[in-house]
Amino acid sequence: MMSKIQSIRGMKDVLPDETPIWQWLESKVRNITYRYGYQEMRLPILEPVALFERAVGESTDIVAKEMYNFHDKSGEHITLRPEGTSGCVRAVIENNMCYNKTQRLWYQGPMFRYERPQKGRLRQFTQFGVETFGMSGADIDAELIFMVRDIFRSLGVDQYVRLEINSLGTLPERLEHRQQLVSYFNQHKALLDEDSLRRLETNPLRILDSKNPQMQEMIEVAPRLLNFLGEDSRQHFDELCQLLDAAEIPYIVNPRLVRGLDYYTRTVFEWITDELGSQGTVCGGGRYDGLAELFGSKSLPASGFAIGIERLLLLIQAVGGDKHISNYPDIVVTYENDKQNVEALMLANQLRSKLSHLKILSDCSGNKIKRQHANALKSGCRYIITLNANQKIGLWDLEKNTNALSPLEDIIAYFAH
Ligand code: HAM
């Protein structure tokens, strides 16, 4: 027997039962991007491996362990993008989009990371991302946070997420902190687990992110980057805090928030929920002022965030926010005599042309009328219209439980108001 072919681990089909909630979420998110004046970018899914090595950083888990890399037929080393910021920066520079102007952009699409799949963690997942260019102030960082708050509010989950913020300072500030941090961790080397020992060489800041319970006490008193911020970075961070206070957005300053990508400078933030277990970060973002320069461009301040859509959907479902979303047709058109299928199809067309606000499904199954009705009932529709053998039209209102034969004009009038 031939073996079954199944989907790749960590890559999920979105079935028709689930698409209504995706579409609902996408329309809410799009509406907010529109109202904030952001423009959509559509970016390639394949990018050069070198793009992420340089932007995200070779020592990060994403680049070191999680990318889907391969050589194409011409030998080029390419990858399925693990995130959207790097490609967006590439595109902005390549298309000279920031010459004397700022940009506010958004994108949505699949990202790929070879991680161990679990609830809320997939190998193909969808990000809604926003990136801004040419603005260095804390005001635009605050605007991004306002936007995420509005998204969560419009989806009814703002009560279930908390905002954590931190400042990672500038590169020189980080280097000074790094030296102190390395010497501190060296003093406590015996307490470091294997992962942290590796990170001590490659990316010591990420040790602060460790969840290992044995290391928490030691990490808690490690040198804090916030204490190494220079005057300008301090002021930038204070201003962000003041803007969030003014907008009455609650937040927690988490000095251990470092993010898993190397390009951040100054502001970083995450929105976290306790409803999803260990994969509770629904949104992550921050400022990355030095990234464009890594690609040979002149200095270009930038800031952005990305929301993991699957995680956000899990959260909406966990708090029952999906109850009102349905995919039901309003009307199903059926027919008594199996020779009437074409007439029923035309009847559905007539109804659609007059009743543009309704979802009208035509039963083309060829089944007997009893089965057609049973399927219509299963579909969750509110009305069943039946073309009788004697060409009369029956309207069955399932909610009122009324059933009557009526001329077509009366049926149309019935729905028109
Ligand atoms: P990130 O924190 O790596 O940041 O990802 C952003 C969000 O994508 C996460 O908070 C999470 O919701 C979702 N996500 C990440 N990995 C997975 C996964 N394996 N399965 C399901 N969801 C996942 C970035 O990617 C940055 N590019 C964000 C950014 C934009 N920073 C500035 N601009």
Side-chain angles (χ1 to χ4, degrees):
M1 211 175 66
M2 284 219 257
S3 61
K4 259 202 243 161
I5 297 181
Q6 292 190 313
S7 65
I8 295 170
R9 201 161 114 78
M11 305 202 177
K12 276 185 35 180
D13 303 308
V14 179
L15 301 175
D17 275 355
E18 300 164 88
T19 43
I21 186 168
W22 277 80
Q23 288 165 351
W24 170 74
L25 181 149
E26 284 162 355
S27 76
K28 294 273 184 197
V29 169
R30 267 160 216 224
N31 179 258
I32 288 168
T33 58
Y34 175 79
R35 288 177 43 228
Y36 274 78
Y38 283 61
Q39 288 180 294
E40 185 182 1
M41 282 280 272
R42 300 198 179 186
L43 298 157
I45 289 170
L46 294 177
E47 294 278 5
V49 170
L51 174 70
F52 302 102
E53 286 175 345
R54 206 182 295 177
V56 176
E58 288 188 83
S59 67
T60 59
D61 284 351
I62 295 177
V63 173
K65 302 189 210 160
E66 296 168 3
M67 294 222 295
Y68 280 89
N69 298 349
F70 60 99
H71 289 95
D72 72 2
K73 287 196 170 67
S74 66
E76 206 178 331
H77 201 198
I78 54 186
T79 193
L80 292 169
R81 61 181 183 189
E83 60 107 43
T85 309
S86 310
C88 192
V89 173
R90 177 203 51 69
V92 161
I93 296 171
E94 194 170 326
N95 297 292
N96 206 16
M97 288 169 62
C98 286
Y99 184 71
N100 280 346
K101 64 174 175 201
T102 59
Q103 289 286 354
R104 287 174 157 86
L105 307 169
W106 71 270
Y107 51 85
Q108 188 196 306
M111 308 292 160
F112 302 83
R113 295 184 192 174
Y114 193 80
E115 294 189 85
R116 197 170 46 77
Q118 63 180 94
K119 183 179 165 197
R121 196 205 270 154
L122 295 158
R123 288 183 175 170
Q124 177 177 332
F125 59 97
T126 314
Q127 276 186 352
F128 163 72
V130 165
E131 315 292 351
T132 67
F133 296 94
M135 291 164 278
S136 60
D139 49 354
I140 188 71
D141 298 356
E143 176 176 295
L144 292 171
I145 290 174
F146 298 166
M147 202 171 171
V148 183
R149 189 264 320 257
D150 285 0
I151 290 173
F152 289 153
R153 224 183 229 175
S154 76
L155 298 170
V157 296
D158 51 323
Q159 302 295 315
Y160 304 96
V161 285
R162 67 173 179 278
L163 170 64
E164 296 191 359
I165 61 170
N166 190 18
S167 174
L168 297 184
T170 59
L171 199 57
E173 288 156 7
R174 263 216 308 283
L175 283 177
E176 206 189 321
H177 170 250
R178 185 189 160 116
Q179 273 176 0
Q180 301 281 325
L181 201 62
V182 169
S183 100
Y184 174 82
F185 285 137
N186 270 320
Q187 283 161 33
H188 298 86
K189 219 168 175 174
L191 290 172
L192 297 182
D193 58 18
E194 204 183 314
D195 219 27
S196 302
L197 284 171
R198 187 175 50 81
R199 285 189 167 141
L200 187 57
E201 304 300 322
T202 55
N203 201 344
L205 204 60
R206 284 305 303 277
I207 301 178
L208 298 176
D209 221 12
S210 166
K211 305 279 178 294
N212 184 339
Q214 262 97 55
M215 290 169 48
Q216 297 309 306
E217 218 174 296
M218 181 268 297
I219 290 176
E220 219 27 70
V221 285
R224 294 191 161 181
L225 187 42
L226 278 177
N227 297 333
F228 288 77
L229 298 187
E231 182 60 30
D232 288 353
S233 292
R234 184 80 242 175
Q235 212 177 328
H236 196 277
F237 189 61
D238 288 346
E239 207 176 308
L240 175 66
C241 294
Q242 282 156 18
L243 288 165
L244 297 180
D245 291 338
E248 295 179 7
I249 297 182
Y251 59 90
I252 298 163
V253 176
N254 176 1
R256 285 174 56 177
L257 178 66
V258 292
R259 311 268 306 123
L261 306 95
D262 278 356
Y263 48 61
Y264 292 107
T265 50
R266 295 196 168 151
T267 309
V268 286
F269 59 89
E270 286 186 351
W271 294 81
I272 302 161
T273 178
D274 292 326
E275 307 288 327
L276 300 180
S278 65
Q279 303 306 309
T281 308
V282 186
C283 171
R287 176 161 284 286
Y288 48 96
D289 290 342
L291 186 50
E293 279 167 277
L294 286 184
F295 292 105
S297 161
K298 68 179 175 45
S299 148
L300 179 64
S303 192
F305 67 81
I307 294 177
I309 300 293
E310 287 83 356
R311 279 190 200 171
L312 183 53
L313 286 172
L314 281 176
L315 175 59
I316 294 168
Q317 284 157 349
V319 301
D322 58 334
K323 294 278 186 287
H324 65 289
I325 297 161
S326 76
N327 199 14
Y328 305 150
D330 297 299
I331 302 173
V332 176
V333 179
T334 60
Y335 49 95
E336 216 166 57
N337 180 324
D338 60 4
K339 303 257 163 15
Q340 289 172 299
N341 60 327
V342 172
E343 284 161 81
L345 189 71
M346 294 308 170
L347 171 60
N349 255 354
Q350 278 178 297
L351 291 168
R352 275 187 210 108
S353 70
K354 299 281 190 230
L355 304 169
S356 56
H357 60 295
L358 296 180
K359 194 193 288 183
I360 302 170
L361 210 102
S362 183
D363 186 316
C364 296
S365 65
N367 286 329
K368 295 260 177 282
I369 185 69
K370 251 182 138 170
R371 174 117 309 277
Q372 290 184 43
H373 280 178
N375 284 341
L377 291 171
K378 254 193 260 166
S379 76
C381 68
R382 162 90 201 266
Y383 310 95
I384 299 177
I385 287 181
T386 305
L387 186 60
N388 285 351
N390 57 10
Q391 301 296 61
K392 292 249 163 39
I393 305 169
L395 171 62
W396 183 5
D397 184 326
L398 295 162
E399 214 169 276
K400 293 191 185 151
N401 202 16
T402 55
N403 207 336
L405 291 175
S406 307
L408 181 60
E409 309 79 68
D410 290 0
I411 290 183
I412 288 168
Y414 186 84
F415 289 112
H417 45 74

